[in-house]
DNA sequence: TAGTCAATTCGGAAGTTTCCGAAATGAGGG
DNA sequence: CCCTCATTTCGGAAACTTCCGAATTGACTA
């Protein structure tokens, strides 16, 4: 992952509506939710939502698949995983025990990094 | 964690210089690095960096501690952990096996969520 | 092919973020 | 107390982001 891609992903999530969309999709799971249903549930105008979905899609945080007339949006968990790994890469110069000592929860993320 | 806090954190990371600062601090570990050394290593003007460090600090992604004349900045791993948990909260309506099926790496993040 | 429903594109006004030089603040040491 | 060095604050111009109505595209059905 390049820095630029990480910035696209963080920018995409750094917005009230887009973060709400992503979390809604995470809750709903891999099946996906149609654009217009997302718009209705979050009380956002369809044209506005379309722009936001485009940004999330370009950042590869969501996938879009057509089902008849509708387009279903679903979260891309693999991208979140890559993003977190990128953020914590080479933590403490590679000696992960050095950061685990003061933040027990961070150790959990280190395990992810190693897996 | 409130949505607003998550947006502050994602916005903070959604910038070339700030992301580079955070990753530098992750690599350096919990000891911390003085502001002016960060500025030098990333070739950023001190006044510009100061604004960026303030944004990272307000988002609670870094901590600042004084050591004599210098202020040492260090990453806050616990906040990253909270942020990822917030993002993936109630994944697949609570049935984590539903998302693990198609993205093996995502399962790693789910483990974090459960720990 | 015409009709319908779902989703996207476009324009442009309003708001927000970014940058850096110069000046100000703050902490120590002599 | 004064000096020095580290860092922050301020201003204001340039660049980017956000919003939504109207028009458009695209896909399925009859």
């Amino acid at each position: 992952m390049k820095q630029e891609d990480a910035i696209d992903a963080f920018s995409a999530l750094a917005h009230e509506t887009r973060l709400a969309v992503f979390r809604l999709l995470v809750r709903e799971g891999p099946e996906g939710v149609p654009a217009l249903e997302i718009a209705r549930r979050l009380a956002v105008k369809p044209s506005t939502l379309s722009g936001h979905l485009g940004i999330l899609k370009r950042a590869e945080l969501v996938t879009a698949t057509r089902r008849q007339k509708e387009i279903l949006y679903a979260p891309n968990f693999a991208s979140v995983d890559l993003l977190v790994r990128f953020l914590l890469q080479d933590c403490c110069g590679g000696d992960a025990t050095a950061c685990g000592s003061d933040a027990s929860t961070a150790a959990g993320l280190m395990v992810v990094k190693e897996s």
Side-chain angles (χ1 to χ4, degrees), chain A:
Chain A
M1 166 171 264
K2 286 182 315 218
Q3 158 137 323
E4 201 186 329
D5 300 328
I7 289 169
D8 287 348
F10 287 127
S11 302
L13 294 170
H15 184 280
E16 185 170 3
T17 300
R18 289 193 299 262
L19 183 53
V21 168
F22 186 80
R23 299 220 307 147
L24 184 156
L25 296 180
V26 165
R27 267 179 265 122
E28 290 299 321
E31 287 286 294
V33 180
L36 219 70
E37 187 186 332
I38 300 171
R40 187 183 51 72
R41 285 170 63 177
L42 298 179
V44 176
K45 299 274 172 282
S47 68
T48 300
L49 182 70
S50 183
H52 290 316
L53 288 172
I55 289 166
L56 286 166
K57 190 142 94 62
R58 242 167 289 131
E60 301 188 42
L61 287 166
V62 304
T63 58
T65 55
R66 186 174 281 272
R67 185 185 62 187
Q68 301 174 42
K69 277 185 194 166
E70 301 170 315
I71 295 179
L72 300 179
Y73 285 88
N76 184 348
F77 292 108
S79 286
V80 174
D81 183 77
L82 284 172
L83 191 59
V84 175
R85 284 167 195 264
F86 177 81
L87 196 61
L88 299 177
Q89 207 165 57
D90 302 321
C91 169
C92 308
D95 178 11
T97 59
C99 18
S101 58
D102 68 340
S104 62
T105 50
L109 290 166
M110 294 310 120
V111 168
V112 170
K113 198 175 156 288
E114 298 301 315
S115 69

